[in-house]
Amino acid sequence: MRLSFASEQTRINHSKSATVSLNFSFADGPLYDFTAYTECKELPEQPLYNGGMLKNHPPENFSSIAHFSTGFYTPAFILHNLTPGTIYCFSIWLKIEGANSAHVRASLKTENSVYNCVGSAAAKQGCWSFLKGGFVLDSPSNLSILFFQNSDDRDINIAVASASLQPFTDEQWRFNQQYIINTERKRAVTIHAADGSGDTLQGAEITIEQVSKDFPFGSAIASTILGNLPYQKWFVERFNAAVFENELKWYATEPEQGKINYTIADQMMEFVRSNQLIARGHNIFWEDPKYTPAWVRNLTGPALQSAVNSRIQSLMNKYKEEFIHWDVSNEMLHFDFYEQRLGHDATLHFYETAHQSDPLATLFMNEFNVVETCSDENSTVDRYISRLRELKRGGVLMDGIGLESHFTVPNLPLMRAILDKLATLNLPIWLTEVDISGKLDKETQAVYLEQVLREGFSHPSVNGIMLWTALHPNGCYQMCLTDNNLQNLPAGNIVDKLLKEWQTGEVTGHTDGHGSFSFYGFLGEYTVSVKYGNRTANSTFSLCQGDETRHVTIRV
């Protein structure tokens, strides 16, 4: 690898929408810049944060870094006095020579550790690609090296430009999260109280209560919830969305060919309907052969195609318009059971047929290790985007981005940077299976869960969050919220804390001299009571996303 550094020159200016135009300062630091790019550009854009710590700080040439033995040169930045706990957001533009394309990974080496991937991008020859990521150190570092390498260490030239490294304290990061919550998840409301003649009523007593939330926040459920009234009560008191953990998967509904049984799924759907929950459909197909029915694994050619067609028609006709989403071909970036046997267009057929069967459902591409890390080269953010675009070019109505979110140690700036890139596609983004590895103790799980949930809820492009915490007698997949007696574990305490924080409690007050009362509320459905003297009027209103104040007039 040999270094070529692009000097500053006239750039193409980029426009930002109101939701991402946050690149200005407040008293204690910058507001986070959500800008990201997924198109290869003729010229690199200007650096975010005007370069931050890397302003006027060109890269160096280094060889044999971090166990390199090739002797190739890599672009690298020398960083001094990095502190643990500080959140470092990194971005840079890349261009390569010597290959048409390459997966380039940014890595960080300190005195004591190597952070294998702090950001990645699919770089190309002849145009500039945007890499965005970040890192948080475990221990202080007096001298660190931020360097770049392609995945197979081919001898290619890497050019870099418009590098930026912006630090945020934990307090600044939390401020930025709250800023987005206040602007994206809440809205101003003014209640006007008037009498029958339209005259304003000063001093009227106002009581407001949020009765439902707009943001979908839910969990997986399993057949264990059936007949378990305490568990059902616990669930519906917290969540407004559900997903069946395994009960819709092909191996569950048709373990033997032709013997289709939806009894358990039907009973779970009755629970969903009776409690006015929304539900995700998971999943139609799973590309991992380990979770494909044994009898399906033995089929080939027309017999396999016939079984696939029957599966889609049976499932989709049975539950048409019942599920808001469908994970159509689960984990297709890591596995390809059906495409190996039915050809490269097999996935296209799945999505086309699913859309025809249930045109109102949002079809998702559900995958792991997209937002959790950038070290898994099967599912980097650019590879996810490339596969999604490939399906769209084939005519697929790809409507949703599903990020499983099975974390061990979250890298928050990397997580946010990946969400930023995915947000450029203007599709709904859901965190679909959130949990923290069971290899960690329960207290650590809770700490990391709070970090992930706050990051998801405070990103303007995330439309919903689902936990993967279905309760079983022997525990959960990786992380439980409660024990078998429904007593909270540390992770459950975090969920309850955030649920309370992310809802509008009872709001009370009196109208002012203009007969008005104002407050900020989370999006959702509300009841309002206005009492004036011996007269009382009750009403309801919806609070949906909008930049303007929502005005509600109540006549008493």
Side-chain angles (χ1 to χ4, degrees):
M1 303 177 192
R2 296 177 181 85
L3 172 67
S4 168
F5 182 62
S7 60
E8 292 299 322
Q9 51 192 297
T10 303
R11 313 291 192 196
I12 302 172
N13 291 325
H14 60 271
S15 62
K16 302 177 185 177
S17 69
T19 58
V20 299
S21 183
L22 301 176
N23 192 17
F24 55 88
S25 295
F26 64 97
D28 296 321
L31 280 172
Y32 179 81
D33 193 333
F34 288 89
T35 302
Y37 306 89
T38 54
E39 301 292 343
C40 208
K41 288 178 169 276
E42 182 179 355
L43 294 172
E45 300 287 352
Q46 296 290 340
L48 304 186
Y49 311 103
N50 199 27
M53 293 172 61
L54 299 182
K55 183 179 181 180
N56 301 321
H57 184 23
E60 308 283 347
N61 281 353
F62 279 87
S63 63
S64 301
I65 297 176
H67 313 297
F68 281 16
S69 58
T70 62
F72 300 151
Y73 288 93
T74 170
F77 292 91
I78 305 301
L79 306 173
H80 297 278
N81 301 322
L82 300 181
T83 56
T86 299
I87 296 167
Y88 294 95
C89 293
F90 174 68
S91 62
I92 198 165
W93 289 84
L94 306 166
K95 183 170 67 172
I96 62 170
E97 294 179 357
N100 290 329
S101 62
H103 175 245
V104 175
R105 183 172 67 244
S107 302
L108 181 74
K109 180 176 175 61
T110 69
E111 298 95 330
N112 303 315
S113 304
V114 175
Y115 299 80
N116 181 52
C117 189
V118 298
S120 69
K124 298 180 180 179
Q125 184 169 256
C127 60
W128 292 91
S129 299
F130 186 64
L131 182 153
K132 193 175 190 183
F135 55 88
V136 181
L137 298 189
D138 300 320
S139 59
S141 173
N142 295 324
L143 179 66
S144 303
I145 303 171
L146 182 60
F147 61 97
F148 307 88
Q149 56 184 320
N150 65 298
S151 58
D152 56 8
D153 285 332
R154 285 176 292 169
D155 186 6
I156 62 174
N157 296 343
I158 299 179
V160 298
S162 297
S164 172
L165 184 65
Q166 179 62 47
F168 292 84
T169 66
D170 185 67
E171 182 182 6
Q172 291 167 348
W173 197 257
R174 186 65 66 88
F175 176 94
N176 277 276
Q177 290 176 331
Q178 196 59 49
Y179 177 87
I180 294 301
I181 290 171
N182 290 342
T183 54
E184 299 291 329
R185 309 295 184 203
K186 301 176 79 173
R187 186 176 174 186
V189 182
T190 296
I191 305 294
H192 303 276
D195 62 17
S197 300
D199 294 328
T200 59
L201 299 177
Q202 180 180 350
E205 183 180 336
I206 306 292
T207 303
I208 300 161
E209 182 180 0
Q210 185 177 15
V211 293
S212 68
K213 301 176 184 178
D214 183 63
F215 187 87
F217 187 72
S219 172
I221 56 174
S223 59
T224 52
I225 204 166
L226 299 176
N228 190 336
L229 297 182
Y231 184 20
Q232 293 180 11
K233 181 176 183 293
W234 177 91
F235 190 94
V236 299
E237 285 175 350
R238 287 161 175 80
F239 302 122
N240 59 5
V243 58
F244 300 177
E245 186 180 40
N246 297 311
E247 288 75 9
L248 280 176
K249 292 169 182 172
W250 199 354
Y251 65 74
T253 61
E254 194 177 2
E256 297 180 46
Q257 188 170 12
K259 296 182 178 180
I260 300 172
N261 189 337
Y262 292 118
T263 301
I264 299 299
D266 284 347
Q267 292 172 359
M268 294 172 69
M269 180 52 69
E270 288 174 7
F271 165 74
V272 166
R273 289 194 208 101
S274 64
N275 290 284
Q276 298 178 300
L277 304 172
I278 60 173
R280 302 191 73 250
H282 176 81
N283 53 50
I284 302 176
F285 297 106
W286 197 343
E287 290 286 350
D288 187 347
K290 179 180 178 182
Y291 300 105
T292 300
W295 64 269
V296 175
R297 293 198 299 268
N298 294 326
L299 300 178
T300 58
L304 178 59
Q305 186 65 63
S306 175
V308 161
N309 291 341
S310 296
R311 161 68 173 173
I312 299 179
Q313 292 165 7
S314 170
L315 185 67
M316 303 299 283
N317 290 337
K318 171 72 174 175
Y319 294 111
K320 183 176 182 180
E321 299 181 0
E322 295 276 18
F323 294 96
I324 61 167
H325 303 162
W326 279 106
D327 295 330
V328 177
S329 190
N330 204 43
E331 299 175 356
M332 70 172 81
L333 296 182
H334 287 90
F335 309 102
D336 59 354
F337 173 84
Y338 295 100
E339 290 199 346
Q340 279 188 5
R341 290 157 178 79
L342 297 175
H344 188 66
D345 289 340
T347 305
L348 285 171
H349 172 71
F350 295 165
Y351 279 89
E352 289 170 350
T353 307
H355 176 70
Q356 292 167 4
S357 301
D358 194 352
L360 296 181
T362 305
L363 305 184
F364 272 68
M365 179 173 159
N366 196 48
E367 192 57 74
F368 68 92
N369 279 355
V370 179
V371 74
E372 299 96 318
T373 179
C374 58
S375 296
D376 187 342
E377 293 185 10
N378 290 309
S379 53
T380 63
V381 60
D382 283 1
R383 290 197 171 165
Y384 184 102
I385 291 170
S386 176
R387 184 71 169 115
L388 188 145
R389 285 175 169 163
E390 178 186 346
L391 290 169
K392 279 202 162 187
R393 286 194 297 271
V396 166
L397 288 169
M398 178 67 69
D399 301 317
I401 294 169
L403 307 173
E404 293 186 13
S405 308
H406 296 294
F407 285 90
T408 302
V409 180
N411 178 345
L412 298 185
L414 176 66
M415 177 184 177
R416 187 179 291 188
I418 290 169
L419 291 172
D420 292 347
K421 267 201 160 184
L422 293 168
T424 64
L425 302 178
N426 295 314
L427 293 175
I429 298 174
W430 279 57
L431 308 186
T432 57
E433 304 179 17
V434 177
D435 63 15
I436 306 297
S437 172
K439 295 178 181 178
L440 304 174
D441 63 75
K442 290 179 172 57
E443 288 73 19
T444 304
Q445 281 184 321
V447 170
Y448 290 156
L449 177 64
E450 180 172 2
Q451 292 178 358
V452 170
L453 294 180
R454 287 191 183 279
E455 201 58 55
F457 189 69
S458 66
H459 197 285
S461 295
V462 171
N463 286 24
I465 297 175
M466 304 295 293
L467 302 170
W468 207 248
T469 51
L471 186 62
H472 298 269
N474 59 345
C476 307
Y477 174 66
Q478 292 287 334
M479 179 187 75
C480 285
L481 301 181
T482 73
D483 62 19
N484 286 333
N485 295 318
L486 301 178
Q487 297 302 303
N488 269 4
L489 298 172
N493 287 333
I494 289 300
V495 168
D496 283 353
K497 181 180 79 169
L498 294 179
L499 286 171
K500 183 177 180 180
E501 182 180 324
W502 295 338
Q503 69 179 13
T504 308
E506 184 179 85
V507 178
T508 60
H510 294 83
T511 55
D512 60 19
H514 302 283
S516 301
F517 176 80
S518 298
F519 73 103
Y520 276 88
F522 283 94
L523 306 182
E525 300 296 319
Y526 286 81
T527 61
V528 55
S529 174
V530 179
K531 183 178 181 181
Y532 189 77
N534 60 357
R535 293 174 292 168
T536 301
N538 299 309
S539 187
T540 62
F541 65 92
S542 299
L543 192 58
C544 55
Q545 195 170 46
D547 295 329
E548 298 179 336
T549 300
R550 172 83 159 89
H551 290 267
V552 179
T553 299
I554 309 293
R555 293 198 171 188
V556 182

